[in-house]
Amino acid sequence: MVSLTVNGSPHQIDADPATPLLYVLREELALNGAKYGCGLGQCGSCTVVVDGEAVLSCMVPIMLLEGREITTIEGLGTIDEPGPLQQAFIELQAAQCGYCIPGMMMSAHALLRRNARPSEEEIREALTTNLCRCGTHMRILAAIRRAGELMQAASLPAADQGRAG
Amino acid sequence: MRALRVAIGIAAVIFVAAAAFLLFAWRSEVPEDTAAAEARFAPELVAKGAQLAALGNCIACHTVPGRPAFAGGLALPTPFGTIYSTNITPDRETGIGGWSEAAFERAMREGVDREGSHLYPAFPYEHFTRVSADDNRALYAFLMTRVAVKAEAPENDLPFPLKFRPLLAGWKLLFLDSGEREPDPGQSDAWNRGRYLAEGLGHCGACHTPRNPVGAEDRDRHFGGGEAEGWQAYAINTESKAPIPWDEQDLAFYLRNGWHEFHGVSRGPMAEVTGNLAFLPDSDIAAIATYVRSIMGAPTPEREQRAAQLREAFEGQRPEQAADSQRSPVSASGGQPGEAIYLAACASCHEGERRQPFGGLNFELSTAVNAPNPQNIVNVVLFGLPPADGEASAVMPAFRYLLDDQQVADLLAYMRERFSEEPPWAGLVEQTARTRSGTYKVAVRPSDGIERAPHHVGAEED
Ligand code: FES
Ligand code: FES
């Protein structure tokens, strides 16, 4: 048994401690936002946030995550009440097929928590490990800038945006 | 009275000695050449200079990440204090815009700037002194035709006695063996060319040769392994720890491509070197390989035997692409903590089916696990290998947010025990902590190195 805290809720997971977090999220917890792209830590579609930092969930065995705070895309808001990042991505129609988008948003979430007004350079830097095969990069960048604005406009510290951020 | 006379006598001797030393250390100013920056050069000469500048890796030290190329100001931490690289763009006030070719040649040959000040050996004139006049001319042409950038380098942060540059004349007297070298008639042209490139502008030894307490290369341990920007530069002499000893062909392939199937990818400052070497013709790369291989000497029969087994195990066995990366993870139950981490987090790539440079190197082939100092593995585990911009490249995710210092230490201890015959590493927890906190500074770069220069990921910008 490994205990994990995902989006603020505790879970007891009955799986081999070597199981990558991604599998547990999708198969045990039905949190299907994080995507399986390569399984090799090379594409970023499985990105989630652990203790405030973006990590690749396909590479992380759950045994390393006990007692740590895991946030997935589902923790950023709901369909009825999208969080600022989700709202910005919808507003700017930043998804094409959408496969890379949860990973992109989680990398952006980690960045915006630290810094709601990142420079273009900083955004690109934060997203270097996220690939998009559809090529919607320019819209993704615009959406992240927009999310930063929304967070500031709401005049909430960026850190409070994610429910379990 | 007598005591006074003795004191005066001693003072006089000191005074005369000091004056003699200053005279010895004094270098004249080369007059400013006001037209230098406007000079025109033949395009072929500039093109040749571009190649030579790449060989010299000038851009690496003379550029601050994210700022204009060659404008200097990069902080170079040394055991003696921090030295800032100079602006070598043709700006007249802050760069070398007023330098004549003679002044440039003298800087390369003797480590003295145009005004006559001695330069610190962070500028590797121990090597650049070997560069031919023709090559200096081409380098000069290349640098003088770059965009002039106004940028004043911050002042060096050195303790008092070292701030006094004339002292460097004494250092040079001891350690600088200046001038070009005669070709060795007993060696091939390729070997001589290789020596010229590797020992001269290429300055391999600046990183790969250990330094003595006053910062000069220890000539008795030529290519015996050193350090650069927080990375271990492995021994490339008879002490090389590569499980499959380098042969000339493998070395040339590695220098040409930045990776080799049996040795892995170049990373850290070496990524920049192999990135830069892309500008050189194959013949020069082959020559460097010929020369460096000759320094490595013939491997012992035991090493050869072991290498033959490894070659057989790893040659051409693995398919180019993994057909299915979605494999069930290996169970990590039992064993020591490091083993569990290795099996769960590392093995899927490092024992996977993808070949170099995109797959993880099998540690049976790794020089790093056999190295006397684990620094490079610490760096890679914590910071990963960032991807290159806009092209396929080797990449490894960073584990600094997932593994604490003890876990990294456990992992490394396990890897050392499993993949190497060498004795265990000591002090792994502390070393990891120092690296993580930045107390020990590491420059982290994408594996294509130069393509992103002058922007070095992770480098501290002071
Ligand atoms: S699925 Fe994790 S990085 Fe591709
Ligand atoms: S939107 Fe399709 S992969 Fe990015």
Side-chain angles (χ1 to χ4, degrees):
Chain A
M1 280 288 179
V2 178
S3 35
L4 294 184
T5 307
V6 183
N7 300 325
S9 327
H11 298 273
Q12 290 297 316
I13 309 293
D14 183 14
D16 189 309
T19 311
L21 173 64
L22 178 63
Y23 298 17
V24 170
L25 292 176
R26 295 180 58 87
E27 284 155 31
E28 313 279 326
L29 304 178
L31 295 170
N32 292 312
K35 296 286 182 282
Y36 182 97
C38 62
L40 293 164
Q42 303 196 341
C43 74
S45 68
C46 65
T47 309
V48 301
V49 167
V50 173
D51 291 344
E53 301 290 350
V55 305
L56 302 172
S57 65
C58 71
M59 300 294 298
V60 190
I62 51 175
M63 66 184 186
L64 296 177
L65 296 171
E66 238 161 329
R68 308 185 62 176
E69 200 59 64
I70 301 162
T71 309
T72 68
I73 185 98
E74 290 87 352
L76 298 190
T78 61
I79 295 197
D80 301 326
E81 265 183 82
L85 253 170
Q86 293 162 324
Q87 206 181 317
F89 271 70
I90 296 167
E91 210 178 282
L92 288 156
Q93 290 291 291
Q96 179 78 350
C97 77
Y99 205 80
C100 69
I101 299 295
M104 294 279 182
M105 286 170 69
M106 295 318 289
S107 291
H109 175 65
L111 172 69
L112 294 174
R113 288 177 90 245
R114 281 195 299 273
N115 174 6
R117 301 184 61 184
S119 66
E120 184 73 15
E121 180 103 345
E122 287 168 319
I123 299 177
R124 285 170 185 252
E125 195 71 64
L127 298 182
T128 42
T129 46
N130 294 83
L131 304 182
C132 171
R133 63 184 177 175
C134 297
T136 67
H137 302 83
M138 299 323 277
R139 288 191 180 201
I140 291 170
L141 291 172
I144 293 170
R145 286 193 294 270
R146 175 78 183 125
E149 285 165 21
L150 290 175
M151 288 177 179
Q152 283 180 299
S155 72
L156 286 169
D160 294 337
Q161 294 298 314
R163 251 199 258 146
Chain B
M1 237 13 223
R2 179 111 187 255
L4 185 65
R5 236 181 284 148
V6 170
I8 289 175
I10 291 173
V13 168
I14 291 175
F15 180 78
V16 170
F21 177 77
L22 283 178
L23 193 65
F24 158 75
W26 185 80
R27 294 291 181 281
S28 63
E29 172 170 353
V30 177
E32 187 172 7
D33 180 349
T34 49
E38 276 79 51
R40 291 162 160 261
F41 300 91
E44 306 77 57
L45 192 65
V46 174
K48 181 178 165 196
Q51 270 189 7
L52 292 166
L55 170 67
N57 210 10
C58 313
I59 196 169
C61 288
H62 285 283
T63 308
V64 173
R67 310 249 177 86
F70 302 112
L74 183 74
L76 304 168
T78 76
F80 313 99
T82 302
I83 291 178
Y84 292 87
S85 64
T86 53
N87 179 347
I88 53 169
T89 72
D91 180 59
R92 257 185 73 184
E93 275 166 56
T94 60
I96 59 168
W99 290 38
S100 60
E101 193 185 313
F104 180 79
E105 165 112 28
R106 182 175 73 169
M108 294 289 284
R109 192 87 60 213
E110 297 175 34
V112 173
D113 72 8
R114 186 188 68 75
E115 285 86 4
S117 300
H118 289 281
L119 296 167
Y120 292 101
F123 176 54
Y125 46 76
E126 286 166 278
H127 296 275
F128 294 171
T129 187
R130 307 263 183 263
V131 178
S132 72
D134 278 355
D135 282 354
N136 276 330
R137 183 164 311 127
L139 265 176
Y140 177 74
F142 172 72
L143 290 173
M144 294 308 268
T145 48
R146 297 310 89 204
V147 176
V149 180
K150 194 170 286 312
E152 194 81 64
E155 203 156 321
N156 293 332
D157 181 12
L158 293 168
F160 163 69
L162 298 180
K163 267 192 196 152
F164 186 63
R165 287 178 184 258
L167 279 183
L168 289 163
W171 190 94
K172 288 178 184 175
L173 186 65
L174 294 173
F175 304 115
L176 176 62
D177 154 30
S178 67
E180 286 178 67
R181 273 203 190 167
E182 288 299 319
D184 181 340
Q187 296 281 1
S188 67
D189 288 351
W191 187 94
N192 275 302
R193 175 75 181 155
R195 183 179 69 168
Y196 173 74
L197 297 169
E199 298 293 351
L201 255 186
H203 66 287
C204 309
C207 299
H208 283 281
T209 299
R211 290 177 183 272
N212 68 17
V214 285
E217 287 173 32
D218 181 348
R219 293 204 188 113
D220 296 337
R221 298 182 57 208
H222 183 229
F223 286 177
E227 194 196 343
E229 293 177 88
W231 296 79
Q232 291 288 303
Y234 299 131
I236 48 171
N237 59 7
T238 52
E239 286 163 47
S240 162
K241 297 279 186 205
I244 295 185
W246 290 95
D247 66 22
E248 228 171 282
Q249 242 182 334
D250 293 358
L251 194 51
F253 184 96
Y254 174 85
L255 293 173
R256 176 88 288 170
N257 298 288
W259 61 274
H260 188 275
E261 191 175 359
F262 295 151
H263 300 275
V265 299
S266 63
R267 58 193 174 198
M270 192 63 196
E272 207 159 26
V273 172
T274 53
N276 256 325
L277 290 179
F279 292 90
L280 264 62
D282 286 345
S283 56
D284 279 350
I285 300 287
I288 296 175
T290 301
Y291 171 70
V292 174
R293 178 63 190 73
S294 78
I295 306 287
M296 289 181 174
T300 60
E302 299 83 70
R303 262 187 97 200
E304 278 294 19
Q305 207 182 344
R306 174 87 189 108
Q309 291 164 1
L310 288 171
R311 272 207 189 86
E312 202 172 320
F314 290 101
E315 207 151 39
Q317 293 274 352
R318 301 193 284 174
E320 279 298 334
Q321 289 293 324
D324 175 20
S325 58
Q326 189 160 23
R327 288 170 304 124
S328 14
V330 219
S331 172
S333 45
Q336 29 168 316
E339 177 175 16
I341 296 172
Y342 172 83
L343 291 174
C346 315
S348 61
C349 288
H350 285 276
E351 293 184 27
E353 286 160 347
R354 297 189 130 209
R355 299 178 68 168
Q356 294 293 303
F358 304 121
L361 183 73
N362 191 298
F363 292 108
E364 302 274 1
L365 299 172
S366 159
T367 302
V369 282
N370 287 295
N373 182 327
Q375 190 63 50
N376 290 3
I377 307 197
V378 174
N379 295 351
V380 171
V381 170
L382 290 179
F383 307 122
L385 292 181
D389 254 358
E391 61 177 287
S393 73
V395 46
M396 175 174 143
F399 283 85
R400 66 173 169 287
Y401 302 126
L402 292 167
L403 299 174
D404 63 26
D405 297 340
Q406 184 62 52
Q407 288 168 323
V408 173
D410 290 344
L411 173 62
L412 266 56
Y414 167 74
M415 287 167 60
R416 179 77 157 179
E417 191 187 314
R418 173 165 161 204
F419 296 108
S420 170
E421 315 264 272
E422 305 282 333
W425 286 309
L428 285 169
V429 177
E430 297 72 33
Q431 187 166 2
T432 306
R434 279 200 310 275
T435 306
R436 185 194 299 272
S437 68
T439 314
Y440 182 79
K441 277 201 170 46
V442 176
V444 183
R445 299 188 182 144
S447 51
D448 63 343
I450 198 63
E451 280 314 309
R452 256 220 281 202
H455 182 72
H456 304 158
V457 181
E460 296 284 330
E461 286 184 44
D462 291 311

